[in-house]
Amino acid sequence: MNKRATIGDVAKLAGVSTATVSRVIHTPDLVTDSTRKAVYSAISQTNYTLNLAARNLRQQRSNAIVVLVPDIGNTFFSEILAGIERVASSAGQTILIGHTAHDHMREEKYLNNLLNSQADGALLLNGHLPASVATKIGETPGRRLPIVSVSEALADQIVPHVGIDNDRAAALVTQYLLDHGHRRIVHLRGPVSNILTCQRAKGFARTMKAAGLQVSPDMFLDGDFTIESGIAAASVLIAAGSMPDAVLCANDEMAIGLMSRLAEHGIHVPQDVSVVGFDDIAFSRTAQPALTTIHQPRAEIGERATRILLELIAGDNDASNMITTLPVELVERASVALNRGFTAT
Amino acid sequence: MNKRATIGDVAKLAGVSTATVSRVIHTPDLVTDSTRKAVYSAISQTNYTLNLAARNLRQQRSNAIVVLVPDIGNTFFSEILAGIERVASSAGQTILIGHTAHDHMREEKYLNNLLNSQADGALLLNGHLPASVATKIGETPGRRLPIVSVSEALADQIVPHVGIDNDRAAALVTQYLLDHGHRRIVHLRGPVSNILTCQRAKGFARTMKAAGLQVSPDMFLDGDFTIESGIAAASVLIAAGSMPDAVLCANDEMAIGLMSRLAEHGIHVPQDVSVVGFDDIAFSRTAQPALTTIHQPRAEIGERATRILLELIAGDNDASNMITTLPVELVERASVALNRGFTAT
DNA sequence: CATTCCTATGTAAAGGATTACATTGCTTCT
DNA sequence: AGAAGCAATGTAATCCTTTACATAGGAATG
């Protein structure tokens, strides 16, 4: 028992050929009861386990998909992952999570290493497709590379995408603030290189303009989706000396960071300033006050994306589902108040 | 360009043998400048990419380690993962994250599928080793299976472990509460099947006894490490009609859930009841009030565990590091008050 | 009874890399 | 000049499965 048993060892012990052993594993129905039993017994005697590297090599496929996640610590992604896993595992696919940490090198590493031999397809939650891979997509126009972008859109729409309409979601929440009488609204953005950030900022600006409000650069604060950047943004507001009516944060982490810093300074949400977030992560419910935010159907986003990916892998090249947009929902909690002295029109 | 180029195609185009191409990729120094250039050029002309399945098969190793995580959404794990990745990637290992969701079937699937051919070793963050794998460890006493348990200990100490001393950490924080004059302390546990839960509960009970306090079943509440179970525990306390002096929660999520529910009922932390958590996740800083908790050196835990795993894979079977215990730190924030009418002895 | 068809199994060829060993020229030393 | 040693490259075996094709025996059919 020094080395791992191979299919040959099992075959010898059971007195059959390797082909038969393989059939017992793969398609048991093709094999007689008696031989099947003999093979099973030999398998357990030898402690045989399949060598997946060999199978993958032979079958030219790995039954695994790789999921690129920019930040595992962000709870927003875990529910998407849950949806992905549900569909993938019921289709017999293993999922491999690659943590990219917003690092383009890692993205490329995971995609090159895995896509080209260890995985059959990829789900991109990171909003970035390395140039080397993008090139390859262009080169094979017939057979699309099995890649789907999820939640965060790519700069070029060259692979199918599943997500929400960020522009309209931002417009929705902006209008909600306007309806509550807020006029001086500040938008705490994500990193400007992020597509999602741009879409949300656009929806915000458009809605403000439509309400007859001037959009100026000082209505924007820059963050990077972390709690810390929310805290920093609060410090900026505090230093400025006057609070806006409301702050629209591009995600919940920043909103929570912002609120905690405001609380330290005795500034009350929503009495002194209203705050809204984006994503509806678990901690938005436990924030003080509970955070009003935009809820995304995360599990469904993951499920849909995975189904599309599986179709691509199977070769069902239905171009109809290039863009899947799922609806969002505004979750009203306690972080937005009616503006002082405002009366609904 | 219908099929993927193989090393043979590159060799033909460059006018060399496959061995030379392999050497250019693997050990470029062994090859002349001119041939190296020719091979590189052939590689880019053919769009050649290595087939890792073939390499893994031949080399009998995958240069990948699998990390089993029980709950990706729990922010506690992400910093451990960051430590793991730092060490692993500098050693040229890819890491594959398997999300087990506390599901023993999945644990087994990931370990069997991956350990036996797609990964060289495993890091267990899930506190459970499937029986089928445990058996195999016993069978090969000479060559230890490359597995390391991290943070959450296993029931049987059969693989190296890296983590903290949960018993003493719980004792530390319990003593801290006692020193602040609290006597009626309730411990909100994790699931009782969890080793970590038992260790922390033991440290708590021991310290209470040492202070001359009776330990009774009604000093324990049961949770499952989720925010929801923290909220539920708060409801139980509220329904009971009287608050204890302090609540020691087995993790931060539950502490945060608990505090949010108390706040809804107008019960103030720490004036009415003190609360402490465990783990020091990012959101413990933004909680209202900021949560006093036990900080674990998460990144270092991940790094140490990975180093030990790499040694095991390399065959450096140094039995000296079966148990690595790292120090914890009590982070004082704002969720613990001096008990009313208490004077330090 | 001869033919055909099926079922259960075996034989052997991929699949794409790595690598031990062999080979071929050179350089260098005596 | 002959021997030895070295550097660069080639040849071919190997890793372990899957699977197309072949075969053998038995049942069904005419």
Side-chain angles (χ1 to χ4, degrees):
Chain A
M1 210 152 302
N2 213 350
K3 309 196 96 191
R4 261 179 71 194
T6 72
I7 203 171
D9 301 331
V10 174
K12 209 180 292 171
L13 186 62
V16 298
S17 73
T18 61
T20 300
V21 176
S22 178
R23 278 188 279 258
V24 167
I25 296 167
H26 221 68
T27 51
D29 300 341
L30 295 183
V31 158
T32 315
D33 252 23
S34 60
T35 46
R36 199 186 319 150
K37 266 178 208 153
V39 169
Y40 278 138
S41 140
I43 285 177
S44 70
Q45 276 181 60
T46 53
N47 266 318
Y48 171 71
T49 57
L50 193 56
N51 183 322
L52 285 181
R55 169 194 279 201
N56 292 349
L57 173 59
R58 177 60 227 237
Q59 294 194 328
Q60 300 284 65
R61 126 180 86 87
S62 62
N63 291 312
I65 64 185
V66 56
V67 183
L68 262 48
V69 183
D71 178 10
I72 287 187
N74 190 319
T75 54
F76 173 69
F77 295 111
S78 59
E79 277 189 45
I80 295 182
L81 283 172
I84 292 172
E85 283 177 322
R86 206 169 305 143
V87 174
S89 74
S90 74
Q93 294 267 347
T94 302
I95 84 158
L96 307 173
I97 299 165
H99 183 193
T100 66
H102 299 282
D103 178 345
H104 291 350
M105 296 286 286
R106 286 194 189 178
E107 289 164 359
E108 192 155 350
K109 183 178 125 192
Y110 279 116
L111 278 180
N112 275 336
N113 270 1
L114 296 177
L115 237 195
N116 284 320
S117 24
Q118 312 247 75
D120 299 336
L123 291 172
L124 267 40
L125 306 198
N126 56 331
H128 181 79
L129 186 66
S132 62
V133 182
T135 312
K136 277 174 198 152
I137 291 182
E139 274 167 7
T140 55
R143 175 109 174 74
R144 228 187 269 155
L145 261 188
I147 297 181
V148 175
S149 68
V150 188
S151 175
E152 316 232 353
L154 303 179
D156 303 314
Q157 182 64 52
I158 50 178
V159 302
H161 176 75
V162 177
I164 63 165
D165 185 334
N166 283 291
D167 181 304
R168 286 180 56 184
L172 174 69
V173 68
T174 306
Q175 190 60 50
Y176 175 82
L177 291 173
L178 290 169
D179 290 347
H180 280 67
H182 301 296
R183 290 294 172 267
R184 292 176 48 242
I185 305 176
V186 166
H187 178 31
L188 173 50
R189 290 183 288 207
V192 285
S193 61
N194 187 291
I195 309 289
L196 203 140
T197 296
C198 300
Q199 295 170 334
R200 290 182 187 171
K202 217 159 89 184
F204 164 71
R206 186 165 43 71
T207 311
M208 291 296 276
K209 256 183 227 155
L213 296 166
Q214 198 67 36
V215 174
S216 61
D218 63 325
M219 292 166 61
F220 294 92
L221 288 170
D222 287 313
D224 62 4
F225 289 140
T226 63
I227 294 176
E228 285 70 30
S229 69
I231 294 175
S235 298
V236 170
L237 290 178
I238 290 164
S242 87
M243 278 294 135
D245 295 342
V247 182
L248 164 52
C249 303
N251 79 347
D252 287 350
E253 268 86 351
M254 293 197 292
I256 289 171
L258 181 114
M259 293 202 301
S260 78
R261 183 98 173 95
L262 293 179
E264 282 173 20
H265 275 256
I267 298 165
H268 294 287
V269 176
Q271 295 87 344
D272 300 329
V273 55
S274 290
V275 175
V276 293
F278 220 110
D279 291 349
D280 192 25
I281 65 171
F283 287 104
S284 62
R285 233 172 320 158
T286 63
Q288 296 298 333
L291 185 65
T292 292
T293 187
I294 288 282
H295 177 81
Q296 303 191 29
R298 284 170 290 211
E300 200 185 341
I301 288 175
E303 288 170 8
R304 292 278 198 104
T306 310
R307 281 205 204 95
I308 292 172
L309 183 65
L310 291 176
E311 282 171 16
L312 280 179
I313 291 173
D316 303 357
N317 217 331
D318 184 350
S320 68
N321 47 22
M322 274 302 277
I323 298 185
T324 307
T325 303
L326 296 172
V328 300
E329 204 179 325
L330 181 72
V331 182
E332 290 194 67
R333 297 211 177 89
S335 62
V336 174
L338 267 182
N339 197 8
R340 308 157 289 261
F342 170 78
T343 32
T345 49
Chain B
M1 210 153 303
N2 213 349
K3 308 195 95 190
R4 261 179 70 196
T6 71
I7 202 172
D9 301 331
V10 174
K12 208 180 294 170
L13 186 61
V16 298
S17 73
T18 61
T20 300
V21 176
S22 179
R23 278 187 279 256
V24 167
I25 296 166
H26 221 68
T27 48
D29 300 342
L30 295 183
V31 158
T32 314
D33 252 23
S34 61
T35 47
R36 201 187 316 151
K37 267 179 206 153
V39 169
Y40 278 138
S41 140
I43 285 178
S44 70
Q45 274 181 63
T46 54
N47 265 318
Y48 171 72
T49 58
L50 195 57
N51 183 323
L52 285 181
R55 167 194 280 198
N56 292 349
L57 173 59
R58 175 61 226 238
Q59 293 194 328
Q60 299 285 66
R61 125 181 85 89
S62 62
N63 290 312
I65 64 185
V66 55
V67 183
L68 261 48
V69 182
D71 179 11
I72 286 186
N74 190 319
T75 54
F76 173 68
F77 294 111
S78 59
E79 277 190 45
I80 296 183
L81 283 172
I84 291 172
E85 283 177 321
R86 206 168 305 141
V87 174
S89 73
S90 74
Q93 294 267 348
T94 302
I95 85 159
L96 307 174
I97 299 166
H99 184 193
T100 66
H102 299 284
D103 177 346
H104 291 351
M105 296 286 287
R106 286 195 189 178
E107 288 163 0
E108 194 156 347
K109 184 179 125 192
Y110 279 117
L111 278 181
N112 274 335
N113 270 0
L114 297 178
L115 235 193
N116 285 319
S117 22
Q118 313 247 74
D120 298 336
L123 291 172
L124 266 41
L125 306 197
N126 56 332
H128 181 80
L129 186 65
S132 64
V133 182
T135 313
K136 276 173 201 154
I137 290 183
E139 274 167 7
T140 54
R143 176 107 175 74
R144 227 188 269 157
L145 262 186
I147 296 181
V148 174
S149 68
V150 188
S151 174
E152 315 233 353
L154 303 179
D156 303 315
Q157 181 63 52
I158 50 179
V159 301
H161 176 75
V162 177
I164 63 164
D165 185 335
N166 283 291
D167 180 304
R168 285 181 57 185
L172 173 69
V173 68
T174 306
Q175 191 59 51
Y176 176 82
L177 290 173
L178 290 168
D179 290 346
H180 280 67
H182 301 297
R183 289 295 172 269
R184 292 175 50 243
I185 304 176
V186 167
H187 178 32
L188 172 50
R189 287 183 290 208
V192 286
S193 62
N194 187 291
I195 309 289
L196 201 139
T197 296
C198 300
Q199 295 170 335
R200 291 181 186 172
K202 218 161 86 185
F204 164 71
R206 186 164 43 71
T207 311
M208 292 296 277
K209 255 182 226 153
L213 295 166
Q214 197 69 34
V215 175
S216 61
D218 63 327
M219 291 165 61
F220 294 92
L221 288 170
D222 286 313
D224 61 3
F225 289 140
T226 63
I227 293 175
E228 285 71 29
S229 70
I231 293 174
S235 299
V236 170
L237 290 178
I238 291 163
S242 88
M243 277 294 135
D245 295 343
V247 183
L248 164 52
C249 302
N251 79 347
D252 288 348
E253 268 88 350
M254 293 197 292
I256 289 170
L258 181 115
M259 292 202 301
S260 78
R261 183 99 172 91
L262 294 179
E264 282 172 20
H265 276 257
I267 298 165
H268 294 288
V269 175
Q271 295 85 344
D272 301 328
V273 56
S274 289
V275 174
V276 293
F278 219 110
D279 290 349
D280 191 25
I281 65 171
F283 287 104
S284 62
R285 233 171 319 158
T286 62
Q288 296 297 334
L291 186 65
T292 291
T293 187
I294 288 282
H295 177 82
Q296 304 190 30
R298 284 170 290 208
E300 199 185 343
I301 289 175
E303 287 170 8
R304 291 278 198 106
T306 310
R307 282 206 203 94
I308 293 173
L309 182 66
L310 292 176
E311 283 171 15
L312 280 179
I313 291 172
D316 303 355
N317 216 332
D318 183 352
S320 68
N321 47 20
M322 274 304 276
I323 298 185
T324 308
T325 304
L326 296 173
V328 298
E329 202 180 326
L330 182 71
V331 182
E332 291 194 67
R333 295 211 177 88
S335 62
V336 174
L338 266 183
N339 197 8
R340 306 158 291 261
F342 170 79
T343 32
T345 49

